[in-house]
Amino acid sequence: MLRAAILKRTRVREIVLEFLVRNHGPFGTEELFAKLKSKKLDLVTLYRTLASFDKAGVVRRCDFGDGIARYEFQLSRSHRHHVICKVCRKARNFDQCFSDKLEQAIAKMGYSEISHTLEFFGVCKSCRKV
Amino acid sequence: MLRAAILKRTRVREIVLEFLVRNHGPFGTEELFAKLKSKKLDLVTLYRTLASFDKAGVVRRCDFGDGIARYEFQLSRSHRHHVICKVCRKARNFDQCFSDKLEQAIAKMGYSEISHTLEFFGVCKSCRKV
DNA sequence: CTTGTTGCAAATCGTTTGCAGGACA
DNA sequence: TGTCCTGCAAACGATTTGCAACAAG
């Protein structure tokens, strides 16, 4: 477990980190809470744990525009984008990205510390059948 | 006023639509509410008005990942992306986009009705000086 | 007139904060 | 020991819902 970063090694963090390492795909906080309910975590602690992981760069926060913050384990420093079904909200990874030139253009506009989000939405096969 | 779409022509809608047509840049609902307070609108009605405009395709909803839904007038059916300052949250338009090939790749994954969001974040010049 | 729209109050939902007790370094 | 972490209760902010009065087609 890599937490020699900035964070203390605690029971809650071990549980959450282990789950996120083993299971990919971004999870909302309540969703995670449900999946880990056998571990008897506190919801508020989970919110705080994920926020601290995010700040430490251990996880990446994803925003799919539905008012829910989702988190996924941050493997490398690279970007990660998703394809989200508009119906079932299931997300699949989609790592293709082409933003280097665009970020350069934005740097010329006077911005620093540039980052971006790129998310695709659609209706997945199984939802289309309904 | 183009509302021969699906929506009834009412006082509130005229006020909101006129404002959005004249003023660009996405506005949050509370923000709009403040700017139109002289017109004595109801906040809830404003939420509903924007939601109906969004559904009718009159406005576009933007999500900058800070838990606030913003809306901007939808000029054409084309995309519109933004550069958002991480400090002051001010958004500038950024229309460059070339995601056609990526959307094609996603179509091959079995998705239909594909759309995407692409937002850039950075620290703008004036916020950097602070 | 019939359906969609408004305004007000109250509810909801995801998330945050305060605080006291407890655990880690 | 001192700081960070946890859990519980309560607060919060953005948004939604219920409902009765109202206006548009």
Side-chain angles (χ1 to χ4, degrees), chain B residues 31 36 75 77 80 82 110:
Chain B
E31 188 184 356
L36 296 173
L75 294 123
R77 200 132 300 273
R80 165 130 305 169
H82 303 88

Side-chain angles (χ1 to χ4, degrees), chain A:
Chain A
M1 296 301 158
L2 64 164
R3 202 175 327 97
I6 341 170
L7 302 161
K8 285 188 181 175
R9 178 182 195 118
T10 67
R11 191 187 83 95
V12 175
R13 288 180 177 163
E14 279 185 358
I15 292 169
V16 177
L17 184 56
E18 177 167 347
F19 183 90
L20 290 174
V21 168
R22 289 194 206 272
N23 303 276
H24 65 307
F27 301 103
T29 312
E30 303 256 13
E31 187 184 357
L32 251 174
F33 182 63
K35 286 181 190 295
L36 296 174
K37 62 176 175 295
S38 62
K39 304 294 174 54
K40 294 207 196 101
L41 309 180
D42 182 70
L43 218 205
V44 176
T45 303
L46 187 51
Y47 271 103
R48 286 197 262 231
T49 302
L50 292 169
S52 65
F53 280 5
D54 184 32
K55 191 154 66 176
V58 175
V59 300
R60 167 184 295 278
R61 181 179 176 154
C62 313
D63 205 299
F64 294 169
D66 62 352
I68 295 176
R70 283 163 232 265
Y71 299 87
E72 70 176 357
F73 183 62
Q74 170 95 310
L75 295 123
S76 59
R77 200 134 299 271
S78 67
H79 307 292
R80 167 131 302 169
H81 307 299
H82 303 89
V83 190
I84 302 111
C85 176
K86 289 172 175 175
V87 179
C88 67
R89 289 278 145 192
K90 202 170 289 177
R92 289 173 62 182
N93 291 336
F94 188 77
D95 287 338
Q96 292 184 55
C97 187
F98 50 88
S99 61
D100 295 346
K101 284 170 189 163
L102 298 185
E103 292 206 356
Q104 282 173 32
I106 287 159
K108 281 184 185 160
M109 289 165 71
Y111 287 82
S112 57
E113 300 174 50
I114 298 164
S115 63
H116 72 273
T117 67
L118 173 60
E119 307 294 357
F120 292 86
F121 299 85
V123 177
C124 72
K125 264 180 183 161
S126 40
C127 287
R128 192 172 199 180
K129 286 171 193 158
V130 181

Side-chain angles (χ1 to χ4, degrees), chain B residues 8 10 12-13 42 44-45 48-49:
Chain B
K8 286 187 180 175
T10 67
V12 175
R13 287 181 177 161
D42 183 68
V44 176
T45 304
R48 286 196 263 230
T49 301

Side-chain angles (χ1 to χ4, degrees), chain B residues 93-110:
Chain B
N93 291 335
F94 189 77
D95 287 336
Q96 292 184 54
C97 184
F98 42 92
S99 61
D100 297 345
K101 284 171 190 162
L102 298 184
E103 291 206 357
Q104 282 173 32
I106 287 158
K108 280 184 185 159
M109 289 164 73

Side-chain angles (χ1 to χ4, degrees), chain B residues 7 9 26 29 39 46-47 57 73-75 94 96 99-100 111 119 130:
Chain B
L7 303 160
R9 179 182 194 118
T29 311
K39 304 294 174 53
L46 187 51
Y47 272 104
F73 183 63
Q74 171 95 311
L75 294 123
F94 189 77
Q96 292 184 54
S99 61
D100 297 345
Y111 286 82
E119 306 293 356
V130 182

